[in-house]
Amino acid sequence: MLKDKKVILGVSGGIAVYKAVELLRLLTKAGAVVHVIMTRAAREFVAPLTFQTLSSNPVHTELFNLISEQEIGHISLADRAALFIIAPATANIIGKLACGIADDLLTTTVMATKAKVLIAPAMNVNMYTNPVYRDNEERLRRLGYLFVPPEKGELACGWEGEGKLAAPETIFEAAVAELTPKTLTGETVLVTAGPTREEIDPVRFISNHSSGKMGYALAREAQRRGGRVILVSGPVSLAPPPGVELVTVESATEMREAVMARVGGCTVVIKAAAVADYRPLEREQAKIKKQTGELTLRLVKNPDILAELGRLTERPFLVGFAAETDNLEAGAAKKLEEKNLDMIVANDVSQPDAGFNVDTNAARLLFRDGRMVECPLMSKKELAGLILDYVTAECSCRRQR
Ligand code: CTP
């Protein structure tokens, strides 16, 4: 979403300037063309050369610099921007913006831009809660400026509380969300992700290799596109995407309950979870002790959540995943038909770069009318975007019918 987008990163002075370096790295990695403006105070903390090297663009510092004004002046910088981020933003910069003071390159360029301005404040907790600051922030919010609130924690000044610059990933996420077209506005998307765990006894369980990466990428992308997102997740070690409603579950039975309790309000359900098909007949209360001979576990079938969703009379747009090791297309087509789905994502999980526990995936998308779309090897993030492009297109066709 940020590919070739022009972003201005305004950096004002505070100890958190070093975190702006990480934010710049995230932005450029995502393909954004970033121009950095640093205030004089910011340059006391980190040298402009660091930002220049990472952005591959000269760092802008002076309003009255004849050479840089001739090459790319502050008005042309302001005009080019798709998004203007100020991180860290001091109480001083925010105060100036709120009062219309433009007395350096950063404030002048903000004043001249028509782009959305995303402000990530960082300051001492008492400054942050000071009514003067609160008024300034409120005024800017009313005028359409966006804020990424600071986090609570130990502050550089020794105080504890709110005022710590938000994590670079959080600011990055807010920037991406701002630049993503809101194609899923009005949709409620439920995504299931990760494995399920079927307990054998207090220390052992049956599970699978699912990392949850595909489901989390889908939830993140749907959230960026303006959908209300409910993420029903089995046990994974991933941070939930900001803004999604996270419901954590362990077993297939719990996942079923969580999904069926929420499906009523959903317009789209994407079942990316690798649900265990079987669970032990009984979960032992005490740890099973080692025996001399063989141990036999009796397993019973778990509910097929997706098939149950497919049987609902009023059902949302249903997307399933098919994890196959052979006969990929035939296996997926059978699941599409038998579970009464609108779309299925067929994964050959025997491929080392696709399926479980990797960052990439290659898939085929199969539809009810027999269409098949081949998706070459790509990142799970990219595949999530592609899947949601099709979901959006299919949902809007369905609405028009
Ligand atoms: N699924 C489900 N509930 C189950 C099993 C699977 O909702 N108890 C869903 C998965 O989330 C996925 C789809 O059904 O979207 C297909 O899962 P998959 O494991 O590929 O297929 P199964 O139906 O379990 O069949 P098999 O394991 O025999 O391939």
Side-chain angles (χ1 to χ4, degrees):
M1 208 37 72
L2 288 184
K3 183 113 187 59
D4 299 329
K5 289 268 164 51
K6 304 233 170 16
V7 174
I8 301 182
L9 175 60
V11 186
S12 62
I15 188 69
V17 171
Y18 75 95
K19 287 196 196 164
V21 175
E22 178 60 14
L23 173 61
L24 171 62
R25 213 187 54 80
L26 292 172
L27 292 166
T28 51
K29 214 171 135 202
V33 179
V34 188
H35 280 275
V36 178
I37 300 178
M38 294 180 84
T39 63
R40 193 185 43 75
R43 298 192 313 270
E44 298 287 333
F45 291 91
V46 176
L49 187 60
T50 306
F51 287 95
Q52 183 154 311
T53 310
L54 288 171
S55 68
S56 310
N57 279 316
V59 169
H60 307 268
T61 54
E62 303 297 338
L63 184 56
F64 299 112
N65 181 316
L66 294 180
I67 296 168
S68 60
E69 269 299 299
Q70 188 188 4
E71 281 167 1
I72 173 171
H74 66 280
I75 299 293
S76 117
L77 249 187
D79 285 348
R80 287 180 191 194
L83 184 69
F84 205 128
I85 306 172
I86 310 178
T90 56
N92 179 48
I93 278 290
I94 292 167
K96 282 192 199 174
L97 294 178
C99 300
I101 297 171
D103 65 349
D104 64 2
L105 183 62
L106 178 55
T107 46
T108 312
T109 317
V110 177
M111 191 78 109
T113 193
K114 291 245 180 258
K116 274 276 180 202
V117 182
L118 189 68
I119 300 176
M123 63 196 74
N124 161 273
V125 59
N126 295 336
M127 291 167 87
Y128 188 65
T129 49
N130 185 311
V132 176
Y133 172 79
R134 301 264 28 107
D135 251 21
N136 288 337
E137 179 176 324
E138 205 34 60
R139 175 170 162 73
L140 289 173
R141 279 183 186 272
R142 274 202 312 275
L143 294 170
Y145 288 74
L146 305 166
F147 278 79
V148 184
E151 291 172 2
K152 273 197 184 129
E154 198 182 313
L155 305 175
C157 53
W159 282 78
E160 253 321 290
E162 239 173 335
K164 224 170 123 85
L165 181 71
E169 292 75 15
T170 312
I171 305 170
F172 173 76
E173 191 53 45
V176 177
E178 187 46 41
L179 290 173
T180 306
K182 300 290 173 259
T183 50
L184 286 173
T185 300
E187 308 288 350
T188 299
V189 184
L190 187 149
V191 179
T192 68
T196 63
R197 275 183 190 170
E198 313 300 325
E199 289 199 353
I200 298 169
D201 67 15
V203 295
R204 304 179 181 95
F205 53 80
I206 299 172
S207 191
N208 57 61
H209 288 299
S210 170
S211 61
K213 286 179 180 168
M214 192 67 238
Y216 274 57
L218 280 159
R220 184 183 294 272
E221 193 55 35
Q223 168 74 21
R224 286 174 175 171
R225 293 180 184 206
R228 177 182 161 229
V229 180
I230 305 168
L231 174 60
V232 178
S233 175
V236 294
S237 51
L238 300 172
V244 310
E245 185 184 324
L246 178 71
V247 184
T248 53
V249 297
E250 289 273 326
S251 65
T253 314
E254 280 175 28
M255 185 172 278
R256 181 195 163 273
E257 274 167 27
V259 170
M260 296 319 284
R262 289 166 180 83
V263 68
C266 298
T267 51
V268 178
V269 173
I270 307 179
K271 284 234 65 233
V275 186
D277 288 328
Y278 293 91
R279 66 176 183 276
L281 175 63
E282 269 173 82
R283 181 215 185 259
E284 297 298 331
Q285 292 307 311
K287 185 181 166 201
I288 300 172
K289 286 296 193 189
K290 192 160 52 216
Q291 293 158 17
T292 42
E294 290 173 356
L295 173 74
T296 305
L297 268 182
R298 287 193 59 202
L299 303 178
V300 289
K301 222 162 166 193
N302 268 331
D304 189 318
I305 311 165
L306 192 51
E308 193 171 339
L309 292 170
R311 288 193 293 272
L312 294 174
T313 38
E314 293 265 314
R315 67 168 185 66
F317 187 85
L318 276 186
V319 183
F321 271 70
E324 309 289 344
T325 51
D326 47 6
N327 292 327
L328 178 64
E329 217 176 302
K334 190 162 172 269
K335 286 173 192 172
L336 176 82
E337 178 68 29
E338 286 179 359
K339 302 195 190 197
N340 190 28
L341 310 178
D342 297 291
M343 179 177 158
I344 195 156
V345 183
N347 267 175
D348 182 347
V349 288
S350 66
Q351 297 298 316
D353 297 338
F356 292 137
N357 232 336
V358 286
D359 289 325
T360 51
N361 211 346
R364 283 175 207 171
L365 312 184
L366 277 64
F367 299 87
R368 284 192 84 84
D369 58 9
R371 263 176 311 142
M372 198 272 285
V373 177
E374 181 91 49
C375 308
L377 191 69
M378 59 181 87
S379 73
K380 285 186 174 170
K381 288 178 193 161
E382 287 168 312
L383 183 60
L386 202 59
I387 292 169
L388 289 173
D389 286 346
Y390 281 100
V391 169
T392 313
E394 296 288 317
C395 283
S396 78
C397 282
R398 215 157 95 146
R399 270 198 302 271
Q400 282 158 21
R401 260 182 244 136

PDB file of all heavy atoms in Angstrom, residues 69-101:
ATOM      1  N   GLU A  69      16.091  24.952  -1.107  1.00  0.00           N
ATOM      2  CA  GLU A  69      14.839  25.606  -1.531  1.00  0.00           C
ATOM      3  C   GLU A  69      14.743  25.614  -3.055  1.00  0.00           C
ATOM      4  O   GLU A  69      13.668  25.538  -3.623  1.00  0.00           O
ATOM      5  CB  GLU A  69      14.769  27.043  -0.988  1.00  0.00           C
ATOM      6  CG  GLU A  69      14.085  27.158   0.363  1.00  0.00           C
ATOM      7  CD  GLU A  69      12.641  26.697   0.403  1.00  0.00           C
ATOM      8  OE1 GLU A  69      11.808  27.265  -0.301  1.00  0.00           O
ATOM      9  OE2 GLU A  69      12.343  25.747   1.144  1.00  0.00           O
ATOM     10  N   GLN A  70      15.896  25.703  -3.722  1.00  0.00           N
ATOM     11  CA  GLN A  70      15.881  25.727  -5.181  1.00  0.00           C
ATOM     12  C   GLN A  70      15.582  24.321  -5.706  1.00  0.00           C
ATOM     13  O   GLN A  70      14.805  24.131  -6.636  1.00  0.00           O
ATOM     14  CB  GLN A  70      17.238  26.197  -5.680  1.00  0.00           C
ATOM     15  CG  GLN A  70      17.248  26.431  -7.177  1.00  0.00           C
ATOM     16  CD  GLN A  70      18.669  26.709  -7.665  1.00  0.00           C
ATOM     17  OE1 GLN A  70      19.635  26.664  -6.917  1.00  0.00           O
ATOM     18  NE2 GLN A  70      18.783  26.989  -8.939  1.00  0.00           N
ATOM     19  N   GLU A  71      16.203  23.303  -5.101  1.00  0.00           N
ATOM     20  CA  GLU A  71      16.019  21.934  -5.590  1.00  0.00           C
ATOM     21  C   GLU A  71      14.628  21.402  -5.255  1.00  0.00           C
ATOM     22  O   GLU A  71      13.925  20.899  -6.096  1.00  0.00           O
ATOM     23  CB  GLU A  71      17.087  21.025  -4.969  1.00  0.00           C
ATOM     24  CG  GLU A  71      18.413  21.191  -5.685  1.00  0.00           C
ATOM     25  CD  GLU A  71      19.555  20.554  -4.929  1.00  0.00           C
ATOM     26  OE1 GLU A  71      19.328  19.971  -3.861  1.00  0.00           O
ATOM     27  OE2 GLU A  71      20.691  20.668  -5.424  1.00  0.00           O
ATOM     28  N   ILE A  72      14.248  21.472  -4.000  1.00  0.00           N
ATOM     29  CA  ILE A  72      12.913  21.028  -3.591  1.00  0.00           C
ATOM     30  C   ILE A  72      12.480  21.865  -2.397  1.00  0.00           C
ATOM     31  O   ILE A  72      12.864  21.607  -1.267  1.00  0.00           O
ATOM     32  CB  ILE A  72      12.852  19.495  -3.337  1.00  0.00           C
ATOM     33  CG1 ILE A  72      11.510  19.129  -2.744  1.00  0.00           C
ATOM     34  CG2 ILE A  72      13.978  18.984  -2.494  1.00  0.00           C
ATOM     35  CD1 ILE A  72      11.254  17.664  -2.659  1.00  0.00           C
ATOM     36  N   GLY A  73      11.730  22.886  -2.677  1.00  0.00           N
ATOM     37  CA  GLY A  73      11.348  23.838  -1.638  1.00  0.00           C
ATOM     38  C   GLY A  73      10.293  23.274  -0.708  1.00  0.00           C
ATOM     39  O   GLY A  73       9.741  22.200  -0.962  1.00  0.00           O
ATOM     40  N   HIS A  74      10.015  24.008   0.363  1.00  0.00           N
ATOM     41  CA  HIS A  74       9.086  23.457   1.363  1.00  0.00           C
ATOM     42  C   HIS A  74       7.672  23.338   0.801  1.00  0.00           C
ATOM     43  O   HIS A  74       6.929  22.442   1.165  1.00  0.00           O
ATOM     44  CB  HIS A  74       9.127  24.274   2.663  1.00  0.00           C
ATOM     45  CG  HIS A  74       8.630  25.669   2.546  1.00  0.00           C
ATOM     46  ND1 HIS A  74       9.388  26.685   2.051  1.00  0.00           N
ATOM     47  CD2 HIS A  74       7.427  26.202   2.851  1.00  0.00           C
ATOM     48  CE1 HIS A  74       8.674  27.802   2.066  1.00  0.00           C
ATOM     49  NE2 HIS A  74       7.482  27.527   2.548  1.00  0.00           N
ATOM     50  N   ILE A  75       7.301  24.232  -0.132  1.00  0.00           N
ATOM     51  CA  ILE A  75       5.950  24.144  -0.692  1.00  0.00           C
ATOM     52  C   ILE A  75       5.857  22.904  -1.581  1.00  0.00           C
ATOM     53  O   ILE A  75       4.890  22.134  -1.512  1.00  0.00           O
ATOM     54  CB  ILE A  75       5.601  25.417  -1.512  1.00  0.00           C
ATOM     55  CG1 ILE A  75       5.652  26.656  -0.613  1.00  0.00           C
ATOM     56  CG2 ILE A  75       4.255  25.277  -2.202  1.00  0.00           C
ATOM     57  CD1 ILE A  75       4.585  26.730   0.467  1.00  0.00           C
ATOM     58  N   SER A  76       6.904  22.678  -2.374  1.00  0.00           N
ATOM     59  CA  SER A  76       6.856  21.514  -3.259  1.00  0.00           C
ATOM     60  C   SER A  76       6.913  20.219  -2.443  1.00  0.00           C
ATOM     61  O   SER A  76       6.262  19.229  -2.766  1.00  0.00           O
ATOM     62  CB  SER A  76       7.948  21.629  -4.310  1.00  0.00           C
ATOM     63  OG  SER A  76       8.863  20.627  -4.212  1.00  0.00           O
ATOM     64  N   LEU A  77       7.655  20.226  -1.342  1.00  0.00           N
ATOM     65  CA  LEU A  77       7.671  19.063  -0.426  1.00  0.00           C
ATOM     66  C   LEU A  77       6.256  18.802   0.095  1.00  0.00           C
ATOM     67  O   LEU A  77       5.754  17.671   0.077  1.00  0.00           O
ATOM     68  CB  LEU A  77       8.545  19.389   0.777  1.00  0.00           C
ATOM     69  CG  LEU A  77       9.865  18.688   1.003  1.00  0.00           C
ATOM     70  CD1 LEU A  77      10.434  19.090   2.346  1.00  0.00           C
ATOM     71  CD2 LEU A  77       9.757  17.199   0.892  1.00  0.00           C
ATOM     72  N   ALA A  78       5.618  19.883   0.535  1.00  0.00           N
ATOM     73  CA  ALA A  78       4.272  19.778   1.109  1.00  0.00           C
ATOM     74  C   ALA A  78       3.278  19.282   0.076  1.00  0.00           C
ATOM     75  O   ALA A  78       2.402  18.463   0.367  1.00  0.00           O
ATOM     76  CB  ALA A  78       3.836  21.140   1.644  1.00  0.00           C
ATOM     77  N   ASP A  79       3.415  19.755  -1.168  1.00  0.00           N
ATOM     78  CA  ASP A  79       2.487  19.366  -2.237  1.00  0.00           C
ATOM     79  C   ASP A  79       2.612  17.904  -2.605  1.00  0.00           C
ATOM     80  O   ASP A  79       1.652  17.261  -2.988  1.00  0.00           O
ATOM     81  CB  ASP A  79       2.771  20.189  -3.507  1.00  0.00           C
ATOM     82  CG  ASP A  79       2.258  21.611  -3.357  1.00  0.00           C
ATOM     83  OD1 ASP A  79       1.513  21.866  -2.398  1.00  0.00           O
ATOM     84  OD2 ASP A  79       2.622  22.457  -4.205  1.00  0.00           O
ATOM     85  N   ARG A  80       3.855  17.411  -2.566  1.00  0.00           N
ATOM     86  CA  ARG A  80       4.094  16.049  -3.042  1.00  0.00           C
ATOM     87  C   ARG A  80       3.587  14.978  -2.084  1.00  0.00           C
ATOM     88  O   ARG A  80       3.434  13.833  -2.461  1.00  0.00           O
ATOM     89  CB  ARG A  80       5.599  15.815  -3.163  1.00  0.00           C
ATOM     90  CG  ARG A  80       6.220  16.526  -4.310  1.00  0.00           C
ATOM     91  CD  ARG A  80       7.686  16.194  -4.276  1.00  0.00           C
ATOM     92  NE  ARG A  80       8.418  17.041  -5.191  1.00  0.00           N
ATOM     93  CZ  ARG A  80       9.670  16.782  -5.558  1.00  0.00           C
ATOM     94  NH1 ARG A  80      10.281  15.732  -5.075  1.00  0.00           N
ATOM     95  NH2 ARG A  80      10.278  17.575  -6.389  1.00  0.00           N
ATOM     96  N   ALA A  81       3.401  15.331  -0.820  1.00  0.00           N
ATOM     97  CA  ALA A  81       3.171  14.312   0.204  1.00  0.00           C
ATOM     98  C   ALA A  81       1.805  13.640   0.075  1.00  0.00           C
ATOM     99  O   ALA A  81       0.788  14.301  -0.144  1.00  0.00           O
ATOM    100  CB  ALA A  81       3.294  14.948   1.583  1.00  0.00           C
ATOM    101  N   ALA A  82       1.805  12.305   0.190  1.00  0.00           N
ATOM    102  CA  ALA A  82       0.533  11.581   0.315  1.00  0.00           C
ATOM    103  C   ALA A  82       0.154  11.532   1.797  1.00  0.00           C
ATOM    104  O   ALA A  82      -1.022  11.431   2.145  1.00  0.00           O
ATOM    105  CB  ALA A  82       0.691  10.172  -0.228  1.00  0.00           C
ATOM    106  N   LEU A  83       1.166  11.592   2.644  1.00  0.00           N
ATOM    107  CA  LEU A  83       0.938  11.560   4.091  1.00  0.00           C
ATOM    108  C   LEU A  83       2.086  12.281   4.790  1.00  0.00           C
ATOM    109  O   LEU A  83       3.237  12.188   4.360  1.00  0.00           O
ATOM    110  CB  LEU A  83       0.866  10.109   4.584  1.00  0.00           C
ATOM    111  CG  LEU A  83       0.537   9.907   6.057  1.00  0.00           C
ATOM    112  CD1 LEU A  83      -0.899  10.315   6.370  1.00  0.00           C
ATOM    113  CD2 LEU A  83       0.736   8.444   6.467  1.00  0.00           C
ATOM    114  N   PHE A  84       1.747  12.976   5.856  1.00  0.00           N
ATOM    115  CA  PHE A  84       2.746  13.707   6.634  1.00  0.00           C
ATOM    116  C   PHE A  84       2.739  13.102   8.036  1.00  0.00           C
ATOM    117  O   PHE A  84       1.708  13.115   8.708  1.00  0.00           O
ATOM    118  CB  PHE A  84       2.331  15.188   6.703  1.00  0.00           C
ATOM    119  CG  PHE A  84       3.455  16.144   6.928  1.00  0.00           C
ATOM    120  CD1 PHE A  84       3.625  17.238   6.083  1.00  0.00           C
ATOM    121  CD2 PHE A  84       4.352  15.977   7.969  1.00  0.00           C
ATOM    122  CE1 PHE A  84       4.658  18.142   6.273  1.00  0.00           C
ATOM    123  CE2 PHE A  84       5.382  16.875   8.164  1.00  0.00           C
ATOM    124  CZ  PHE A  84       5.541  17.966   7.310  1.00  0.00           C
ATOM    125  N   ILE A  85       3.852  12.564   8.458  1.00  0.00           N
ATOM    126  CA  ILE A  85       3.928  11.977   9.808  1.00  0.00           C
ATOM    127  C   ILE A  85       4.859  12.857  10.653  1.00  0.00           C
ATOM    128  O   ILE A  85       5.921  13.249  10.170  1.00  0.00           O
ATOM    129  CB  ILE A  85       4.496  10.541   9.768  1.00  0.00           C
ATOM    130  CG1 ILE A  85       3.705   9.658   8.805  1.00  0.00           C
ATOM    131  CG2 ILE A  85       4.520   9.917  11.156  1.00  0.00           C
ATOM    132  CD1 ILE A  85       4.333   8.274   8.570  1.00  0.00           C
ATOM    133  N   ILE A  86       4.457  13.154  11.867  1.00  0.00           N
ATOM    134  CA  ILE A  86       5.387  13.836  12.785  1.00  0.00           C
ATOM    135  C   ILE A  86       5.633  12.899  13.962  1.00  0.00           C
ATOM    136  O   ILE A  86       4.720  12.608  14.741  1.00  0.00           O
ATOM    137  CB  ILE A  86       4.840  15.179  13.300  1.00  0.00           C
ATOM    138  CG1 ILE A  86       4.352  16.043  12.120  1.00  0.00           C
ATOM    139  CG2 ILE A  86       5.926  15.921  14.078  1.00  0.00           C
ATOM    140  CD1 ILE A  86       3.749  17.367  12.544  1.00  0.00           C
ATOM    141  N   ALA A  87       6.846  12.379  14.042  1.00  0.00           N
ATOM    142  CA  ALA A  87       7.175  11.420  15.106  1.00  0.00           C
ATOM    143  C   ALA A  87       8.664  11.512  15.439  1.00  0.00           C
ATOM    144  O   ALA A  87       9.471  11.318  14.535  1.00  0.00           O
ATOM    145  CB  ALA A  87       6.833  10.001  14.661  1.00  0.00           C
ATOM    146  N   PRO A  88       9.049  11.772  16.635  1.00  0.00           N
ATOM    147  CA  PRO A  88       8.188  12.181  17.733  1.00  0.00           C
ATOM    148  C   PRO A  88       7.742  13.637  17.563  1.00  0.00           C
ATOM    149  O   PRO A  88       8.461  14.446  17.019  1.00  0.00           O
ATOM    150  CB  PRO A  88       9.098  12.033  18.962  1.00  0.00           C
ATOM    151  CG  PRO A  88      10.493  12.191  18.438  1.00  0.00           C
ATOM    152  CD  PRO A  88      10.485  11.696  17.027  1.00  0.00           C
ATOM    153  N   ALA A  89       6.540  13.922  18.082  1.00  0.00           N
ATOM    154  CA  ALA A  89       6.039  15.293  18.075  1.00  0.00           C
ATOM    155  C   ALA A  89       6.092  15.811  19.504  1.00  0.00           C
ATOM    156  O   ALA A  89       5.485  15.228  20.403  1.00  0.00           O
ATOM    157  CB  ALA A  89       4.619  15.332  17.544  1.00  0.00           C
ATOM    158  N   THR A  90       6.830  16.879  19.717  1.00  0.00           N
ATOM    159  CA  THR A  90       6.954  17.447  21.069  1.00  0.00           C
ATOM    160  C   THR A  90       5.732  18.304  21.383  1.00  0.00           C
ATOM    161  O   THR A  90       4.982  18.714  20.490  1.00  0.00           O
ATOM    162  CB  THR A  90       8.206  18.345  21.152  1.00  0.00           C
ATOM    163  OG1 THR A  90       8.094  19.326  20.122  1.00  0.00           O
ATOM    164  CG2 THR A  90       9.481  17.555  20.974  1.00  0.00           C
ATOM    165  N   ALA A  91       5.582  18.643  22.667  1.00  0.00           N
ATOM    166  CA  ALA A  91       4.498  19.543  23.091  1.00  0.00           C
ATOM    167  C   ALA A  91       4.662  20.884  22.379  1.00  0.00           C
ATOM    168  O   ALA A  91       3.689  21.538  21.999  1.00  0.00           O
ATOM    169  CB  ALA A  91       4.551  19.728  24.598  1.00  0.00           C
ATOM    170  N   ASN A  92       5.913  21.277  22.163  1.00  0.00           N
ATOM    171  CA  ASN A  92       6.209  22.553  21.518  1.00  0.00           C
ATOM    172  C   ASN A  92       5.689  22.577  20.072  1.00  0.00           C
ATOM    173  O   ASN A  92       4.983  23.507  19.673  1.00  0.00           O
ATOM    174  CB  ASN A  92       7.730  22.766  21.562  1.00  0.00           C
ATOM    175  CG  ASN A  92       8.147  24.052  20.899  1.00  0.00           C
ATOM    176  OD1 ASN A  92       7.568  25.104  21.171  1.00  0.00           O
ATOM    177  ND2 ASN A  92       9.126  23.977  20.019  1.00  0.00           N
ATOM    178  N   ILE A  93       6.005  21.530  19.308  1.00  0.00           N
ATOM    179  CA  ILE A  93       5.570  21.474  17.892  1.00  0.00           C
ATOM    180  C   ILE A  93       4.041  21.439  17.829  1.00  0.00           C
ATOM    181  O   ILE A  93       3.416  22.139  17.026  1.00  0.00           O
ATOM    182  CB  ILE A  93       6.168  20.209  17.203  1.00  0.00           C
ATOM    183  CG1 ILE A  93       7.595  20.468  16.770  1.00  0.00           C
ATOM    184  CG2 ILE A  93       5.338  19.754  16.013  1.00  0.00           C
ATOM    185  CD1 ILE A  93       7.759  21.436  15.600  1.00  0.00           C
ATOM    186  N   ILE A  94       3.441  20.618  18.701  1.00  0.00           N
ATOM    187  CA  ILE A  94       1.978  20.488  18.683  1.00  0.00           C
ATOM    188  C   ILE A  94       1.338  21.835  19.057  1.00  0.00           C
ATOM    189  O   ILE A  94       0.362  22.264  18.446  1.00  0.00           O
ATOM    190  CB  ILE A  94       1.546  19.327  19.610  1.00  0.00           C
ATOM    191  CG1 ILE A  94       2.020  18.008  18.989  1.00  0.00           C
ATOM    192  CG2 ILE A  94       0.022  19.310  19.823  1.00  0.00           C
ATOM    193  CD1 ILE A  94       1.970  16.810  19.889  1.00  0.00           C
ATOM    194  N   GLY A  95       1.928  22.509  20.035  1.00  0.00           N
ATOM    195  CA  GLY A  95       1.435  23.824  20.434  1.00  0.00           C
ATOM    196  C   GLY A  95       1.520  24.817  19.290  1.00  0.00           C
ATOM    197  O   GLY A  95       0.577  25.573  19.019  1.00  0.00           O
ATOM    198  N   LYS A  96       2.644  24.791  18.568  1.00  0.00           N
ATOM    199  CA  LYS A  96       2.810  25.714  17.440  1.00  0.00           C
ATOM    200  C   LYS A  96       1.772  25.423  16.361  1.00  0.00           C
ATOM    201  O   LYS A  96       1.151  26.342  15.820  1.00  0.00           O
ATOM    202  CB  LYS A  96       4.203  25.551  16.840  1.00  0.00           C
ATOM    203  CG  LYS A  96       5.315  26.214  17.607  1.00  0.00           C
ATOM    204  CD  LYS A  96       6.550  26.186  16.710  1.00  0.00           C
ATOM    205  CE  LYS A  96       7.817  26.375  17.467  1.00  0.00           C
ATOM    206  NZ  LYS A  96       8.981  26.201  16.593  1.00  0.00           N
ATOM    207  N   LEU A  97       1.596  24.152  16.047  1.00  0.00           N
ATOM    208  CA  LEU A  97       0.634  23.787  14.981  1.00  0.00           C
ATOM    209  C   LEU A  97      -0.777  24.230  15.372  1.00  0.00           C
ATOM    210  O   LEU A  97      -1.529  24.738  14.544  1.00  0.00           O
ATOM    211  CB  LEU A  97       0.649  22.276  14.710  1.00  0.00           C
ATOM    212  CG  LEU A  97       1.941  21.710  14.122  1.00  0.00           C
ATOM    213  CD1 LEU A  97       1.824  20.206  13.954  1.00  0.00           C
ATOM    214  CD2 LEU A  97       2.274  22.371  12.784  1.00  0.00           C
ATOM    215  N   ALA A  98      -1.106  24.025  16.648  1.00  0.00           N
ATOM    216  CA  ALA A  98      -2.458  24.368  17.099  1.00  0.00           C
ATOM    217  C   ALA A  98      -2.704  25.877  17.029  1.00  0.00           C
ATOM    218  O   ALA A  98      -3.836  26.320  16.862  1.00  0.00           O
ATOM    219  CB  ALA A  98      -2.659  23.867  18.534  1.00  0.00           C
ATOM    220  N   CYS A  99      -1.621  26.652  17.133  1.00  0.00           N
ATOM    221  CA  CYS A  99      -1.775  28.122  17.133  1.00  0.00           C
ATOM    222  C   CYS A  99      -1.418  28.745  15.789  1.00  0.00           C
ATOM    223  O   CYS A  99      -1.390  29.979  15.669  1.00  0.00           O
ATOM    224  CB  CYS A  99      -0.898  28.736  18.217  1.00  0.00           C
ATOM    225  SG  CYS A  99      -1.332  28.136  19.826  1.00  0.00           S
ATOM    226  N   GLY A 100      -1.079  27.927  14.811  1.00  0.00           N
ATOM    227  CA  GLY A 100      -0.766  28.474  13.483  1.00  0.00           C
ATOM    228  C   GLY A 100       0.586  29.157  13.409  1.00  0.00           C
ATOM    229  O   GLY A 100       0.799  30.010  12.556  1.00  0.00           O
ATOM    230  N   ILE A 101       1.485  28.772  14.288  1.00  0.00           N
ATOM    231  CA  ILE A 101       2.833  29.365  14.219  1.00  0.00           C
ATOM    232  C   ILE A 101       3.683  28.542  13.240  1.00  0.00           C
ATOM    233  O   ILE A 101       3.771  27.318  13.368  1.00  0.00           O
ATOM    234  CB  ILE A 101       3.503  29.393  15.611  1.00  0.00           C
ATOM    235  CG1 ILE A 101       2.686  30.298  16.540  1.00  0.00           C
ATOM    236  CG2 ILE A 101       4.953  29.857  15.515  1.00  0.00           C
ATOM    237  CD1 ILE A 101       3.108  30.243  17.984  1.00  0.00           C
TER     238      ILE A 101
END
